[in-house]
Amino acid sequence: MRITRVELTNIKSYQHAVIPFQPGTIAVRGLNGAGKSTLVEAIGYALFDALSYNRAQFVREGEKSGQIVVAFISALDDREYEVVRRVGSASEWYVVDPELHDRLVDQSADVIDFLRDHLRIEGDVKLETFFNDALGVPQGTFTADFLMTPANRKKKFDVLLQVEDYRKAAEKLNDTNNYLKQEHIAQEYRIERLEAETGKLEGWRELLRQRHLQVRWLVDEIERLHQQIVNQQERRAQLQRLEAEVKRLENAVAHANDVRRNAAARLEDATARRDEALTAQRILAQTGADHQAYLQAERQSLAARDRQRQRDDLRSKQAELERRRERAQSEEEHARQALAQAEAAAQRIETLQPLIARQTKLESERDQALQDARRLRDLDDALAKMGHEHATAQQEITAKEQ
């Protein structure tokens, strides 16, 4: 612990004074009555609750109260604290943390405990006794204790030197000392037993070497068996992959056949739609001039309204036929793409021919396709018939317009 500053306000001869304490040894000098003893008494009263006379006499004459502030560096945590003690009409005693600007303790018992911890005063010695007999010995009585009888001198110095505390601590260490002695004896016995057992160490080492060789051979054998297991597992996985590939190829063949059949059917249907659309387009091209004449005749005569409705119907049919032609062309393109996919699938089938035994089924599908082609021709005949009927209708329209 080191005191850094003492501030006195209305304390005996001091109205207000701030005395800083620098590190190192400090000497206080002055004339009689200058206040040297007051400074020591203020430190004793603020830090150790030690005052040898009435507190009212400690206040400056003519004042009602005074204040002592002692700042010190703690021996516990090396931080600075301030102890404030007021005397007179307003008595207070508390500890302040200057960094936090907050009171830490403000009850006498708590302040005493705080000071004992931070001044590192251990044992049962009182703060007041410690100050009066060791730190702040009154002037002229410094050697008085050495003139006392041996019994009284011993009593006083035993308290200051904490002889009783050391004696109690030594008594408490007796159990520890006895325990260490017992442990020492037990360890010596254990050492003797271990020295007797180490006579068999060479035989144990040879046995351990043999066990190590056996373990090494077993580890190599386990590694060899493990490698065989790994190879068998790899072979098994390879066979499983081959089996899965065969199944996948079979499924691919079946799917390719389905795609080819669907593509052929869509191609036939698209071809039929395209032919139908082309025929309708040709018919519309042939009847375009007559239709314009029909429109002109309708504008010239209110009686031609019936013919105008017929012309509108023809326009609707023409638009429908145009849409059907475009749809047929789109379907034809899709059919060509599907046919290309089917041809690619057919090529794939040919490469997989050694694995496929479905030629008979394909031939039956070919026959079915030929039958579909014959049906397509029948549809072409029906379409031609429809074209003939359309021409007849056009002739009737022409006759009506005339």
Side-chain angles (χ1 to χ4, degrees), residues 32 36 169 185 213:
N32 291 336
K36 302 185 296 299
I185 295 172
L213 293 176

Side-chain angles (χ1 to χ4, degrees), residues 39-56:
L39 185 61
V40 176
E41 291 171 353
I43 294 174
Y45 187 50
L47 296 183
F48 299 92
D49 195 25
L51 189 62
S52 58
Y53 49 83
N54 193 325
R55 297 177 184 177

Side-chain angles (χ1 to χ4, degrees), residues 106-175:
D106 55 7
Q107 299 293 328
S108 296
D110 296 336
V111 172
I112 291 174
D113 291 339
F114 180 88
L115 291 174
R116 293 184 70 91
D117 290 338
H118 288 266
L119 299 179
R120 302 304 297 269
I121 298 177
E122 301 176 354
D124 297 332
V125 60
K126 295 182 179 180
L127 292 179
E128 182 180 2
T129 302
F130 182 74
F131 180 79
N132 290 331
D133 293 342
L135 297 180
V137 179
Q139 184 177 0
T141 62
F142 186 76
T143 60
D145 292 338
F146 295 95
L147 302 177
M148 299 173 63
T149 62
N152 292 331
R153 187 169 64 244
K154 180 178 183 301
K155 183 177 179 181
K156 176 168 287 193
F157 281 100
D158 283 352
V159 174
L160 293 176
L161 298 176
Q162 299 179 337
V163 174
E164 184 66 18
D165 294 335
Y166 284 111
R167 185 187 64 78
K168 292 179 179 179
E171 290 178 354
K172 292 181 180 179
L173 289 175
N174 286 334
D175 295 336

